Every structure is written in C-alpha cells, then in structure tokens.
Amino acid sequence: MSRPGLDEAGIQQFKTSPTDSGSSSLQVALLTKRIESLTQHLIQNKKDHATKRGLQMLLGKRQRLQRYLKKDDPAMYVKTMEGLGLKIK
C-alpha cells in the first residue's frame, strides 16, 4: 500500500530549496506520509475513533492544500501528484 517515493530521500524531491520546510508541495508530501501511517494504524485498530477523526482532518487539510497548489502553480501540482502517486483532479 506504500506509494513510490515517500521515504525520507523521496520527500526531498518536493523541496523547492535545501532549506525549504513549508512549500505547498512539501506539505502535501508530508501529509501524505502521515496519512499513510495513520491508515496502517487504523487497519489494525478499527475502533480507534480518535485516530479516525485525526485522519479525516488531515485528509481535509491535504485537499485544501492541493486545491491551492493547483490554482497557484499548476505545473508543480501535476509534478507533486505524479510524484506521490495520487490522482490528478
């Protein structure tokens, strides 16, 4: 269920500079990594409703960032979605 390029070295491809810690593409990549981790947790712990709510909040945040990135920099949006293996909307 792991997506290509989501290890620490793969995350580096989404940075715009070596000191980048907050660009939209990097935030989407980091959120995707956290979402995958929580999804694995929920597969084993089906009744963990607090984690389920946290996952839903992260999904919403990632969706808002994706919408902003698509509007602000369409080329970077496409590159990010392809790099993460996510569907381009």
Side-chain angles (χ1 to χ4, degrees):
M1 188 165 172
S2 180
R3 296 191 192 278
L6 278 185
D7 54 350
E8 290 302 320
I11 294 288
Q12 300 301 320
Q13 74 183 9
F14 300 106
K15 288 189 172 188
T16 56
S17 69
T19 59
D20 179 22
S21 63
S23 67
S24 299
S25 60
L26 181 61
Q27 287 183 50
V28 169
L30 293 173
L31 283 172
T32 300
K33 188 173 182 180
R34 279 184 63 197
I35 286 168
E36 289 180 359
S37 170
L38 290 177
T39 302
Q40 289 300 319
H41 172 78
L42 282 172
I43 288 172
Q44 297 171 357
N45 303 285
K46 296 183 189 318
K47 295 185 179 185
D48 189 350
H49 298 292
T51 299
K52 191 174 194 177
R53 181 174 187 272
L55 176 63
Q56 290 172 339
M57 290 170 50
L58 288 177
L59 287 168
K61 182 180 275 192
R62 184 178 71 177
Q63 186 176 27
R64 288 189 303 271
L65 277 167
Q66 287 172 329
R67 200 176 309 130
Y68 168 77
L69 188 59
K70 185 176 182 179
K71 184 180 85 172
D72 189 53
D73 189 356
M76 182 58 100
Y77 170 77
V78 171
K79 179 183 172 198
T80 303
M81 294 301 106
E82 288 175 349
L84 293 171
L86 297 175
K87 190 171 18 173
I88 298 174
K89 296 181 181 179

